[in-house]
């Protein structure tokens, strides 16, 4: 026992827990670094807005592939080997971005970034919960959520600040991130492994499945999740274009702050939802998404930054409430032996929502203009959240009849 009354094993546990949390935050931070830098890539390489959305969407390809292929590997190989693999993919992504000379390298960098996020989304969440000291056990799930969403929110802010006010605007953020990853490697190295590797390792691809008895709960939850993740894609892929071309603000730090605030608000929403009555969580989240999306649309229609920002905060709050409530309801309704497959299905659909709609924005904007496209997207998100509310009401009515 040390003079402070804390045993060396307790200190090691706390240090390992902090190391895993830091690694989670840093890895997710790296996935959103390009957001405020997209205008610079457009200028440097002559890309259209459609090409920018395709570059962004490549990230989802990496996430989905990693979720499906490695989703269950940490149960066999251990948490730390997968965390090291995720950190390696993040570092490779940074190296590719540092050497980027055109479309192919930017696409490769985004896919690698997606792989790192896909590995960490499942593995790091579990690792944070399992490595938490006793005093942090109750809060460990929220700590994992805060590291995930907080990292996603900090990425645009860090890159925006460095891109606007420091040298080497399209590269410095990735060099800084490489340094943070080196610290994260040390953090994972001091963490205690929480999985005992079986004598015979079996690496399987995660199957997608939604059992019939879960579909009534799954459908409204996944519709709400699709709407909320589409909003996250909107802000991380196209916020720079809307900020500069519609709202008249091209400061990279301002762009990063607007993009980041959606994730910070989502973190708050995920914290708040646990204090709401269980039956009201998903409906309230959907309602807040509707209000926020329509406010975002109004900000674009009026070309008014503060209305757009207010909408971002509201819709982020609603996304956090709806996402956590929907995923929790789905997990609770699943048989224990099918929970992993159903949760993976939920996340795959969510990451499709991050990518496909923003590519649609790039296509439609070429026909009707960016402002009208953004307003239409906001209305579409509100309509989706409304559809989730209707589906939820029907599901509850059907349950009551039984």
């Amino acid at each position: 026992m040390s003079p402070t009354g804390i045993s060396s094993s307790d200190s090691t546990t706390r240090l390992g827990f902090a190391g895993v949390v830091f690694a989670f935050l840093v890895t997710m931070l790296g996935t959103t670094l390009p957001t405020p830098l997209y205008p610079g890539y457009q200028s440097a390489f002559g890309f259209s807005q459609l090409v920018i959305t395709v570059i962004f969407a490549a990230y989802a390809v990496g996430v989905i592939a990693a979720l499906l292929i490695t989703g269950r590997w940490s149960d066999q190989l251990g948490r730390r080997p997968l965390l090291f693999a995720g950190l390696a993919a993040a570092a490779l992504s940074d190296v590719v971005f540092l050497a980027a000379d055109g479309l192919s390298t930017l696409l490769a960098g985004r896919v690698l970034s997606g792989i790192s996020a896909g590995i960490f989304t499942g593995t790091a969440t579990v690792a944070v919960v399992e490595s938490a000291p006793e005093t942090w056990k109750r809060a460990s799930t929220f700590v994992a959520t805060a590291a995930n969403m907080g990292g996603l929110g900090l990425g645009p802010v860090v890159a925006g600040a460095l891109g606007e006010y420091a040298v080497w605007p399209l590269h410095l953020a990735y060099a800084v991130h490489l340094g943070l990853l080196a610290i994260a490697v040390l953090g994972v190295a001091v963490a205690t492994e929480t999985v005992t590797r079986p004598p015979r390792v079996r690496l399987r691809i995660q199957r997608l499945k939604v059992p019939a008895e879960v579909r009534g709960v799954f459908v409204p939850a996944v519709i709400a999740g699709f709407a909320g993740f589409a909003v996250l894609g909107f802000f991380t892929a196209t916020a720079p274009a809307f900020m500069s071309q519609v709202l008249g603000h091209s400061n990279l730090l301002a762009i990063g702050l607007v993009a980041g605030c959606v994730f910070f608000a989502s973190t708050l929403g995920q914290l708040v939802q646990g204090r709401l009555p269980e039956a009201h969580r998903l409906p309230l989240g959907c309602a807040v998404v509707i209000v926020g999306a329509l406010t975002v649309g109004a900000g674009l229609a009026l070309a008014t930054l503060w209305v757009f920002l207010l909408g971002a905060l509201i819709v982020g709050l609603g996304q956090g409430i709806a996402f956590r409530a929907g995923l929790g309801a789905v997990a609770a309704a699943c048989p224990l032996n099918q929970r992993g497959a159903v949760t993976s299905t939920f996340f795959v659909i969510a990451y499709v929502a991050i990518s496909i709609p923003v590519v649609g924005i790039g296509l439609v904007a070429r026909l009707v203009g960016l402002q009208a496209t953004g307003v239409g997207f906001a209305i579409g998100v509100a309509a989706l959240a409304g559809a989730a509310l209707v589906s939820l009401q029907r599901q509850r009515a059907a349950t009551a009849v039984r």
Side-chain angles (χ1 to χ4, degrees):
M1 187 77 70
S2 71
T4 62
I6 300 175
S7 68
S8 59
S9 62
D10 286 341
S11 298
T12 301
T13 300
R14 291 173 183 272
L15 185 61
F17 173 65
V20 174
V21 172
F22 180 76
F24 199 179
L25 183 143
V26 167
T27 299
M28 302 313 290
L29 182 154
T31 66
T32 51
L33 285 176
T35 292
L37 306 181
Y38 286 136
Y41 293 131
Q42 282 186 276
S43 176
F45 301 117
F47 294 150
S48 66
Q49 184 57 41
L50 175 60
V51 172
I52 290 296
T53 59
V54 171
I55 292 171
F56 171 81
Y59 165 76
V61 174
V63 175
I64 293 171
L67 283 172
L68 294 179
I69 296 171
T70 70
R72 302 169 67 180
W73 286 12
S74 71
D75 294 333
Q76 297 287 309
L77 299 173
R79 310 300 181 210
R80 295 204 311 165
L82 266 293
L83 294 178
F84 283 131
L87 292 171
L92 283 173
S93 173
D94 287 334
V95 170
V96 171
F97 273 110
L98 285 169
D101 58 0
L103 179 59
S104 60
T105 45
L106 291 175
L107 288 171
R110 288 302 285 162
V111 171
L112 286 166
S113 183
I115 291 171
S116 72
I119 293 172
F120 262 77
T121 295
T123 304
T125 298
V126 178
V128 167
V129 173
E130 291 176 344
S131 65
E134 284 301 319
T135 53
W136 284 89
K137 284 294 183 186
R138 293 186 64 184
S140 60
T141 301
F142 178 70
V143 170
T145 297
N148 186 344
M149 303 303 288
L152 290 169
L154 284 171
V157 178
V158 170
L162 294 176
E164 184 68 30
Y165 299 111
V167 296
W168 215 24
L170 293 181
H171 300 87
L172 184 60
Y174 304 110
V176 170
H177 188 244
L178 274 173
L180 293 174
L181 287 173
I183 300 172
V185 168
L186 296 177
V188 174
V190 301
T192 302
E193 179 57 68
T194 57
V195 170
T196 301
R197 185 178 296 195
R200 184 178 178 184
V201 173
R202 296 180 178 179
L203 302 181
R204 298 176 179 175
I205 294 177
Q206 178 67 65
R207 294 175 59 191
L208 301 182
K209 187 177 183 180
V210 182
E213 65 269 27
V214 183
R215 289 171 193 165
V217 177
F218 185 86
V219 170
V222 83
I223 293 173
F226 192 100
F229 272 75
V231 167
L232 299 183
F234 172 85
F235 277 94
T236 46
T238 61
F242 285 103
M243 286 280 290
S244 61
Q245 298 178 40
V246 177
L247 303 176
H249 294 270
S250 57
N251 181 281
L252 299 186
L253 177 57
I255 291 170
L257 286 169
V258 170
C261 75
V262 179
F263 295 99
F264 300 141
S266 175
T267 306
L268 178 61
Q270 293 187 51
L271 174 63
V272 166
Q273 71 89 40
R275 303 182 182 184
L276 301 172
E278 188 173 346
H280 297 161
R281 292 173 186 173
L282 186 53
L284 181 60
C286 291
V288 176
V289 167
I290 292 170
V291 173
L294 293 177
T295 305
V296 168
L300 293 174
L302 299 170
T304 305
L305 177 61
W306 73 266
V307 177
F308 183 72
L309 178 58
L310 178 63
L313 291 169
I314 296 171
V315 79
L317 183 69
Q319 187 275 338
I321 296 172
F323 167 66
R324 186 88 180 268
L327 190 58
V330 167
C334 282
L336 188 60
N337 64 343
Q338 299 185 58
R339 190 169 291 171
V342 175
T343 302
S344 294
T345 304
F346 187 97
F347 273 108
V348 166
I349 294 172
Y351 278 98
V352 168
I354 275 186
S355 56
I356 300 301
V358 298
V359 175
I361 288 174
L363 288 168
V364 175
R366 302 177 73 175
L367 301 175
V368 301
L370 198 59
Q371 186 175 31
T373 301
V375 172
F377 173 84
I379 293 171
V381 167
L384 265 180
L389 274 176
V390 172
S391 178
L392 184 63
Q393 186 59 40
R394 287 178 177 173
Q395 181 256 330
R396 290 182 175 177
T399 302
V401 169
R402 297 193 197 108

